[in-house]
Amino acid sequence: LETGYDILFFWVARMILMSKYLVGDIPFKTVYLHGLVRDAQGRKMSKSLGNIVDPVDLINKYSADALRMALIVGVGPGSDSNLGEDKIKAYTKFSNKIWNATRFVLENTENFDMSTIPMIAANHQVYLDEWKNLAIEITKEMQEYKLYLVGEKLYHFFWHQFADVLIEECKKDMNDSAKYTLLYLLKQQLKALHPFMPFVTEEVWSLIHNGKPDKLLIIEEWPT
């Protein structure tokens, strides 16, 4: 069960008691408590203060993916979240980063055959090893419900390692090792980012697979 901490006793405990009484079993064994979403000044949203934010308005302005990331990254279980438009706007830029990085990779790997792994250069292997270690790390954290850490780490790796460093390095020499590394890491990161940013990742995934209906990202396995 995932719910706010403010109704732990008023609703969650009573669900357990009623279920135990009626059917002799409890309805859930794990409860993930999120905090309250507050305004940018940390005040509780209320009609009297006039500080209520309509999520539909934010989605229309910044996208659902940006709003999802703003609500997850930096917000641990049970922690209240101060939601301001600046934070959401930052993740709109991240969506654009994913889109632009994907376009660059696809433009430079057109007709590249991924079925045969080329000789990987040492400088590219460094990034593959980094991703391997990160994949192990975030898988464990996902199982521990540390979603805020996973989202932040994926954001950092994609923006600062993949886009800002690796892509810039590969621009100087777009050989088979570079093409394989770029395409492989792009696909792996999209799989990991999908639970957090399902719309932009599904869209760019369709570009990789030319819109084939049997190649949906949502049914891909979590990267290992």
Side-chain angles (χ1 to χ4, degrees):
L1 178 70
E2 186 274 344
T3 188
Y5 64 73
D6 53 330
I7 62 168
L8 180 60
F9 172 73
F10 298 105
W11 184 234
V12 179
R14 296 182 187 196
M15 289 169 70
I16 294 173
L17 290 169
M18 184 63 73
S19 179
K20 183 70 174 176
Y21 175 75
L22 291 174
V23 299
D25 198 5
I26 59 175
F28 37 76
K29 296 184 179 180
T30 302
V31 181
Y32 182 98
L33 297 175
H34 66 250
L36 301 178
V37 180
R38 300 180 179 273
D39 69 9
Q41 300 176 40
R43 301 175 301 175
K44 190 171 182 179
M45 294 186 188
S46 68
K47 290 182 179 179
S48 60
L49 289 175
N51 62 344
I52 294 176
V53 178
D54 188 338
V56 175
D57 292 340
L58 295 175
I59 288 170
N60 290 334
K61 190 174 182 179
Y62 298 110
S63 82
D65 286 330
L67 179 58
R68 288 166 68 100
M69 284 292 277
L71 289 170
I72 292 173
V73 176
V75 184
S79 301
D80 289 351
S81 172
N82 296 350
L83 185 64
E85 291 198 26
D86 287 343
K87 186 178 181 182
I88 305 171
K89 193 184 300 181
Y91 290 109
T92 301
K93 294 178 180 178
F94 183 47
S95 292
N96 293 336
K97 195 77 169 180
I98 294 172
W99 184 265
N100 291 331
T102 301
R103 286 182 58 190
F104 173 83
V105 172
L106 295 184
E107 287 171 2
N108 288 275
T109 59
E110 189 175 3
N111 300 321
F112 180 72
D113 184 8
M114 285 285 288
S115 62
T116 303
I117 302 177
M119 181 70 71
I120 303 298
N123 59 319
H124 298 148
Q125 188 62 50
V126 169
Y127 296 100
L128 294 173
D129 290 341
E130 280 187 23
W131 171 256
K132 178 182 177 181
N133 293 331
L134 180 61
I136 294 171
E137 197 173 295
I138 62 174
T139 298
K140 182 175 182 294
E141 288 168 345
M142 284 288 277
Q143 294 166 343
E144 296 170 346
Y145 305 102
K146 296 177 181 176
L147 310 181
Y148 64 105
L149 285 179
V150 178
E152 184 175 356
K153 289 176 181 180
L154 288 172
Y155 170 91
H156 184 273
F157 187 89
F158 193 101
W159 192 302
H160 299 294
Q161 293 293 91
F162 183 70
D164 285 354
V165 181
L166 178 59
I167 284 181
E168 292 302 315
E169 286 182 4
C170 291
K171 287 179 180 178
K172 302 171 186 176
D173 185 12
M174 190 60 69
N175 53 37
D176 284 353
S177 174
K179 291 179 181 180
Y180 179 87
T181 303
L182 286 173
L183 200 51
Y184 174 82
L185 287 178
L186 175 63
K187 288 183 175 182
Q188 294 297 301
Q189 289 176 97
L190 290 176
K191 291 176 184 179
L193 279 166
H194 185 70
F196 299 88
M197 307 180 76
F199 299 100
V200 66
T201 52
E202 190 71 71
E203 182 66 21
V204 296
W205 185 265
S206 70
L207 297 178
I208 295 174
H209 297 283
N210 299 313
K212 295 179 181 178
D214 61 333
K215 294 291 184 180
L216 294 176
L217 179 55
I218 195 172
I219 59 174
E220 288 290 323
E221 292 185 0
W222 177 260
T224 57

